[in-house]
Structure formats: C-alpha cells, structure tokens
Amino acid sequence: MSITVDIAIAKEFIKGTNAKMFVHKNGRSAMKAFLNGTVAIGTTGVNNVILYDNFDPEKHAIVGTISYTDNQLKLLTRNASEITKKADIKGKRIAVNGPFAHFSLYKQLNFYGISENEVTIVTLTKKQMPQAISSGQVDAIFQHGKPIENAKKALRAEGWKIFQSKNMARKFVVLVMNRKMIKQNPDVVDNVLKGILKAQKYLKTNPEECIEIVAKSKSYPLPKAKEAIEEITYDLTLRQSLPLAMETMEKWAIDNDFVKRENPQSYFTYIEPKPLMEIAPDAVTFIH
C-alpha cells in the first residue's frame, strides 16, 4: 500500500534530499522505527497510530493518506468445515493477523448478522495460516495476498471458498512525519510530497512498468503484484473521513482491550494539513 514511495525513489522523483529508504516487514515495525527516531518520515497503517501510546501528536503528525482499500481482506474457508453460506460461519475458528484484520472481521461478521462471540478468533502469523487451515486447526483465515494464495495451494485437493463483503472497513496507510522536521525542513517535506504525487500519476499512466518495480521491490510474482495493486486506491489526500474512521476503530480497540484507555482520543490533533495544502490544495478537504 506504500508503493508510490517505492516508485518515487526508483524513478528519482524525490531528488536532492540525500534520502535513504528503510524497508520494514510490516507497518508496525516501520512505526517503531519512526517513533524511536531512526527515520523522520514513515508510512504505516492507521491502526499502528491508534495502538501506540507513544505517538505524541505534539511531536509527530499525519501529513497525508497515501493509499486506502475497502476490499483487500477476504475470508477463505476450507470445504471440510462445511461452510457453504454465511450463516455457517457461526461456531467456527477463524485466524486473523493483527488488530486491523480483527476489527475488519468484526465489521464483516456484524454485516452477516453474526456476533463476534459466536466464533473463535485465533491470532496467527501470516506464515502459519496456510498450514493451520489445511490441517484443520482453523476453519477459515481472514487475510489477503500471499497467505490467501498459499492457503489455496494447500487446499487444492480439498477445495475452498471465498467470502468477501466490500466496504466493511476502510484500510488507510498514512504518511507520518516528525513535526520538528516539518518546521525546520519545509523544502524536504515539499520534495517528498511532490515526489509521491508524481509517482501516483506515473502509476496511472505507466502501470506495467510500476508493477515490475513493485514486484521486484516486494519479491512478488508479477500477476499477484498486479492483482494486489488493483485492490488499492493510491491517492495522497487529507479527508475528513480519516480522523472519524480512526475514532471508530479506537472505540472498538478500547472495548476489546487492545488499548488501555477509557475514552477515545480526538485524532484531529494528529493531522498537519499545511504541507499538503501548500502544494495540492484540492487534495485537502480536512476541516481545520
């Protein structure tokens, strides 16, 4: 979901900053590097902003959403578990990886009329999921990308089904920056944002080349890279929906003990609209 950064660097759209890119295995690891000062700019899922108490909005800021998806996560079930319709999910064991997948599954189950208490949630790593479903340890996995593809291969003889309901929970990846850097190095901030915007346009006009860049960067087969990219909207913006969606997810996280706070925070204070507003005013509809 952060491939416009890969493209911007590969095509040298971000110039003159002596920038170095550090690639992490997931958004949580990237967030840790950002918060401990290893990097001054990072990309991460909004769930990591919500779940880390040490994301201090006086020191750090969200300067834009670089991508989002409504349709990435899928519920894959094994035929031996006899899940032929949505109601059959009741009483089953479902594997998730991370709080956002858990939150999205909760939203999808609600849409099906199933309480989260009517299923058993099992937290597994993405690598564990294919073996867990093929062995019967779980009846379904809720994921996307490689875990889904590897699970399909593992279940080839037995068979599988996919259940997917669109627009259950929007997944955002945001660009975060150190506020001190924003203030002291506006030229760097401007350069990075312009580079990502240019990469975003380049992706639309040169999709095949960009798919090759991403496949190489992520060590992903070309057809699967293309499929993954098509599930995502790459749009560097700041919309009113972002802090509202974060507050909704945080309330769920509080209710389910993912965070130890009694009341949701206001995420409007986490956002710094000025840098993006100065170079792309139409991309900012955030009321500030």
Side-chain angles (χ1 to χ4, degrees), residues 97-114:
N97 175 261
F100 183 79
H102 194 159
F103 172 66
S104 298
L105 179 61
Y106 155 77
K107 298 277 283 186
Q108 188 156 326
L109 291 174
N110 272 0
F111 183 72
Y112 295 161
I114 300 171

Side-chain angles (χ1 to χ4, degrees), residues 1-283:
M1 291 187 70
S2 59
I3 64 163
T4 46
V5 177
D6 295 67
I7 295 166
I9 291 174
K11 300 300 295 182
E12 298 185 346
F13 295 153
I14 298 174
K15 297 179 180 179
T17 61
N18 296 319
K20 292 183 180 179
M21 182 171 70
F22 297 87
V23 179
H24 294 265
K25 63 180 180 180
N26 54 45
R28 183 175 182 180
S29 175
M31 176 60 90
K32 285 183 178 179
F34 173 74
L35 292 176
N36 69 25
T38 301
V39 296
I41 302 173
T43 64
T44 192
V46 294
N47 52 296
N48 293 312
V49 178
I50 293 165
L51 296 174
Y52 279 98
D53 287 330
N54 50 344
F55 189 98
D56 184 348
E58 293 187 2
K59 296 180 180 178
H60 314 120
I62 295 171
V63 297
T65 298
I66 63 171
S67 65
Y68 67 86
T69 179
D70 299 313
N71 311 315
Q72 193 180 55
L73 290 163
K74 305 167 183 69
L75 186 70
L76 182 143
T77 65
R78 63 194 295 261
N79 283 356
S81 295
E82 299 181 345
I83 303 172
T84 59
K85 58 185 183 300
K86 295 167 185 175
D88 296 334
I89 297 169
K90 287 183 180 180
K92 304 300 184 181
R93 294 171 60 84
I94 305 173
V96 300
N97 175 261
F100 183 79
H102 194 159
F103 172 66
S104 298
L105 179 61
Y106 155 77
K107 298 277 283 186
Q108 188 156 326
L109 291 174
N110 272 0
F111 183 72
Y112 295 161
I114 300 171
S115 165
E116 192 174 356
N117 296 328
E118 294 179 290
V119 300
T120 300
I121 305 295
V122 180
T123 300
L124 297 176
T125 67
K126 292 179 181 180
K127 288 184 178 180
Q128 290 173 329
M129 286 182 173
Q131 194 279 331
I133 192 170
S134 64
S135 67
Q137 179 186 345
V138 296
D139 303 293
I141 63 173
F142 192 62
Q143 251 306 316
H144 66 92
K146 287 184 178 180
I148 291 289
E149 295 308 313
N150 290 338
K152 287 178 181 178
K153 292 176 184 177
L155 294 169
R156 185 173 293 145
E158 176 186 320
W160 46 266
K161 291 181 180 63
I162 291 280
F163 292 84
Q164 185 178 22
S165 296
K166 297 181 179 182
N167 307 320
M168 290 295 101
R170 177 162 287 185
K171 180 180 180 181
F172 295 96
V173 165
V174 292
L175 192 68
V176 291
M177 294 188 182
N178 181 287
R179 286 190 185 272
K180 185 177 180 180
M181 192 205 69
I182 294 172
K183 185 176 181 179
Q184 295 181 350
N185 300 281
D187 54 331
V188 173
V189 175
D190 183 85
N191 196 2
V192 169
L193 293 175
K194 285 181 177 177
I196 293 172
L197 284 169
K198 192 171 182 180
Q200 185 176 290
K201 292 180 180 178
Y202 197 81
L203 175 59
K204 292 178 181 178
T205 56
N206 301 272
E208 298 305 321
E209 180 186 352
C210 290
I211 289 167
E212 290 181 7
I213 290 172
V214 173
K216 183 178 180 180
S217 173
K218 309 299 182 188
S219 301
Y220 214 47
L222 279 172
K224 297 306 174 185
K226 181 176 186 295
E227 182 182 324
I229 288 170
E230 289 173 349
E231 294 175 334
I232 299 164
T233 299
Y234 299 93
D235 192 22
L236 179 56
T237 58
L238 273 173
R239 307 296 189 203
Q240 194 77 2
S241 57
L242 175 64
L244 298 176
M246 292 175 74
E247 289 174 9
T248 298
M249 183 179 179
E250 186 186 36
K251 185 179 183 305
W252 171 86
I254 290 171
D255 292 342
N256 288 272
D257 296 322
F258 280 101
V259 293
K260 304 301 180 183
R261 294 188 285 272
E262 293 184 2
N263 298 303
Q265 304 173 103
S266 172
Y267 285 97
F268 288 86
T269 61
Y270 283 56
I271 296 172
E272 177 50 68
K274 186 179 178 182
L276 187 57
M277 175 74 78
E278 289 182 347
I279 65 168
D282 291 343

